[in-house]
Amino acid sequence: MHLHNYNSVCYFPHPLHTYHSVREVDWFSLSAVILLLCTAPFLVFFFVMVCDQYQCSVSQPLVELYSGEATLRSIWDKAPSFTWTAAQIYTIWVSFQVVLYMCVPDITHKFLPGYAGGVQDGARTPAGLINKYEINGLQSWLITHALWYANAQYFHWFSPTIIFDNWIPLLWCTNILGYAVSTFAFVKAYLFPTNAEDCKFTGNVFYNYMMGIEFNPRIGKWFDFKLFFNGRPGIVAWTLINLSYAAKQQELYGYVTNSMILVNVLQAIYVLDFFWNEAWYLKTIDICHDHFGWYLGWGDCVWLPFLYTLQGLYLVYNPVQLSTAHAAAVLLLGLVGYYIFRSTNHQKDLFRRTEGKCSIWGKKPTFIECAYRSGDGSLHHSKLMTSGFWGVTRHLNYTGDLMGSLAYCAACGFGHIHPYFYIVYMTILLVHRCVRDEHRCSSKYGKDWKRYTDAVPYRLLPGIF
């Protein structure tokens, strides 16, 4: 469902056009939307439930259902239900993140060299607007984790295992917020849109609800739904959830496994990278092209925190102590994947900022000069780089991210397929993004895009795909 800070191979904003229109949705897209709306919430419940009831065995509940040993009702009845304790925890959590987002202006950019925080401009919207954003995600993450550490070491207001101990009740709370936010954004788009010219209506209510109508729904000047829900409650919590899993391992077994440490470290690197580059994230596909609907609203509240943390959850129920060689291989895979992911994005960002007047791998970069027309008929020019990592494949940043995703899963050993859902999902997501992004670029650049794909023929894997 979201949510990675992925950049598009199209280096500059797309032609301006008006989205406030009605268009039909093809049957395939509509079928996919209805399928996701109907199955995604149950898929999240399934992966969390099998750990709670079946030691993370994905096949066991299916076998029991087939043999008649269990029914859907008996499985449902054994799962923890909504509790007011979980509701209080989640309400405090989201409220605290709102306060940090809205009321604590960023100061970290004043003393962290190279970090772009504070008020930043977003990309130009299809209607021609440039929104301003308060970039303070790194500061919010640091404050939150400093308080978590202070509580664990000194204050003891709550147990570090509090998240794990209320995990399934918290699932119901996140669903309530996810559906509430998505429904509010849906109604708001019809009654009081932030910018009516950036709305995109289709002929189908299901598609409108899932994929969103408003481009950048806001309350007031600064509370931007897309930036807040993409980057705050779920991603700030990601590392806290993993820390809570590690604390539960310590409580249950008296030690924390090296696999749990690897998952915590590798995923923390990714989360910190996200917040360090939050201003750059404003130029990525999530902000530049996606509208805010259930796909982002519910996905950010539920899908991300529950399915992106499956490895740590699995390791609570199935502690795995890796051999030194296995642990080293996982660490190497994760770090190399991160290096490729970050370096690839850095090269493109450098190329874009300098308009090609830079050095990539010690040489002047090569590129394809492209032309396109905007909605008003004006002719514009873009450059598509064919040097460095971008000369190896068209989306090598995705390849690096997939290597990191595989490392998270491999840290869990090979006892169950449960923790490997993440790499399967990420592969589907990124291949789909490749196709979607390249279709958009092909429409934008026409023959120039064909020249580019001839120069860089592979999408993800050199010589293969």
Side-chain angles (χ1 to χ4, degrees):
M1 272 297 118
H2 174 69
L3 296 226
H4 287 68
N5 46 341
Y6 297 130
N7 223 333
S8 162
V9 74
C10 298
Y11 298 156
F12 296 91
H14 293 306
L16 303 183
H17 57 281
T18 300
Y19 267 154
H20 190 74
S21 59
V22 178
R23 64 181 181 84
E24 294 299 321
V25 179
D26 63 88
W27 69 269
F28 180 80
S29 297
L30 179 59
S31 300
V33 162
I34 294 175
L35 180 66
L36 272 174
L37 285 170
C38 294
T39 60
F42 294 101
L43 189 65
V44 176
F45 173 76
F46 175 79
F47 275 100
V48 176
M49 175 277 298
V50 295
C51 283
D52 181 64
Q53 298 182 29
Y54 296 95
Q55 290 295 115
C56 300
S57 171
V58 173
S59 60
Q60 188 60 32
L62 302 178
V63 170
E64 290 190 6
L65 285 170
Y66 180 77
S67 66
E69 296 178 50
T71 63
L72 292 175
R73 182 58 184 266
S74 67
I75 292 173
W76 179 268
D77 288 342
K78 284 192 290 184
S81 60
F82 171 89
T83 66
W84 287 110
T85 298
Q88 290 175 331
I89 293 169
Y90 194 60
T91 300
I92 292 171
W93 168 251
V94 175
S95 300
F96 181 58
Q97 292 306 312
V98 170
V99 169
L100 291 179
Y101 176 62
M102 293 292 294
C103 305
V104 188
D106 184 74
I107 62 170
T108 55
H109 69 282
K110 296 181 179 180
F111 57 84
L112 286 178
Y115 172 66
V119 178
Q120 298 284 336
D121 288 341
R124 188 180 299 274
T125 72
L129 298 179
I130 297 179
N131 292 309
K132 291 189 178 295
Y133 297 84
E134 174 67 45
I135 299 300
N136 60 4
L138 180 63
Q139 178 175 274
S140 299
W141 188 92
L142 291 170
I143 292 172
T144 301
H145 285 71
L147 290 174
W148 179 275
Y149 177 81
N151 170 74
Q153 295 297 318
Y154 305 110
F155 301 123
H156 307 295
W157 293 323
F158 54 84
S159 168
T161 65
I162 187 172
I163 300 175
F164 176 86
D165 293 338
N166 293 276
W167 197 222
I168 295 184
L170 282 170
L171 173 59
W172 309 132
C173 298
T174 58
N175 268 283
I176 291 171
L177 179 63
Y179 277 97
V181 166
S182 305
T183 303
F184 177 79
F186 178 76
V187 174
K188 178 181 179 300
Y190 284 96
L191 301 182
F192 49 101
T194 302
N195 180 30
E197 292 185 357
D198 271 326
C199 289
K200 180 181 67 175
F201 294 90
T202 73
N204 189 273
V205 66
F206 295 106
Y207 191 92
N208 288 346
Y209 182 75
M210 178 173 174
M211 300 309 298
I213 299 170
E214 277 204 81
F215 196 66
N216 291 112
R218 290 188 166 202
I219 295 179
K221 182 179 179 181
W222 291 107
F223 189 84
D224 185 89
F225 279 61
K226 201 186 287 186
L227 182 63
F228 178 77
F229 285 100
N230 266 314
R232 300 311 165 80
I235 297 186
V236 174
W238 188 343
T239 38
L240 291 186
I241 293 166
N242 283 340
L243 288 172
S244 187
Y245 291 154
K248 194 64 181 183
Q249 255 199 0
Q250 178 69 43
E251 178 186 286
L252 291 174
Y253 312 113
Y255 61 92
V256 178
T257 62
N258 58 2
S259 55
M260 180 69 83
I261 293 171
L262 278 171
V263 168
N264 269 260
V265 169
L266 291 175
Q267 293 189 348
I269 291 172
Y270 181 87
V271 170
L272 281 171
D273 177 272
F274 174 87
F275 286 120
W276 183 268
N277 294 284
E278 189 175 19
W280 168 81
Y281 174 67
L282 299 178
K283 306 298 196 301
T284 61
I285 194 169
D286 288 336
I287 298 294
C288 292
H289 301 293
D290 290 341
H291 290 242
F292 188 86
W294 181 88
Y295 179 79
L296 290 181
W298 179 87
D300 293 330
C301 291
V302 182
W303 186 273
L304 188 154
F306 282 87
L307 293 190
Y308 284 26
T309 61
L310 283 180
Q311 293 77 37
L313 180 66
Y314 172 84
L315 291 171
V316 173
Y317 292 93
N318 301 273
V320 175
Q321 186 68 24
L322 302 174
S323 67
T324 301
H326 189 158
V330 168
L331 181 61
L332 182 64
L333 177 64
L335 293 179
V336 170
Y338 172 73
Y339 171 78
I340 294 174
F341 169 79
R342 174 46 46 213
S343 298
T344 304
N345 286 328
H346 172 71
Q347 285 182 356
K348 181 163 58 178
D349 186 53
L350 176 64
F351 178 82
R352 181 166 51 189
R353 284 188 288 106
T354 62
E355 295 186 353
K357 298 180 177 68
C358 59
S359 176
I360 302 293
W361 287 355
K363 300 178 181 179
K364 184 178 180 180
T366 58
F367 55 86
I368 301 292
E369 187 84 40
C370 300
Y372 66 94
R373 292 191 181 276
S374 57
D376 60 4
S378 301
L379 184 66
H380 302 271
H381 294 276
S382 275
K383 298 179 177 70
L384 300 181
M385 182 167 55
T386 56
S387 289
F389 285 118
W390 294 95
V392 178
T393 72
R394 303 197 291 269
H395 302 275
L396 202 66
N397 53 337
Y398 292 6
T399 307
D401 202 11
L402 287 173
M403 292 170 66
S405 301
L406 180 60
Y408 309 157
C409 302
C412 298
F414 307 104
H416 289 94
I417 64 172
H418 180 275
Y420 286 85
F421 170 79
Y422 186 74
I423 183 62
V424 173
Y425 162 71
M426 288 300 296
T427 301
I428 295 171
L429 173 71
L430 294 185
V431 170
H432 174 258
R433 279 184 183 253
C434 281
V435 174
R436 185 170 64 141
D437 180 44
E438 295 195 1
H439 175 73
R440 186 182 294 118
C441 290
S442 178
S443 299
K444 177 180 179 180
Y445 296 123
K447 293 180 180 178
D448 290 335
W449 179 251
K450 178 64 167 59
R451 292 168 54 215
Y452 171 70
T453 56
D454 287 343
V456 187
Y458 295 102
R459 287 185 170 115
L460 288 172
L461 299 174
I464 300 175
F465 175 71

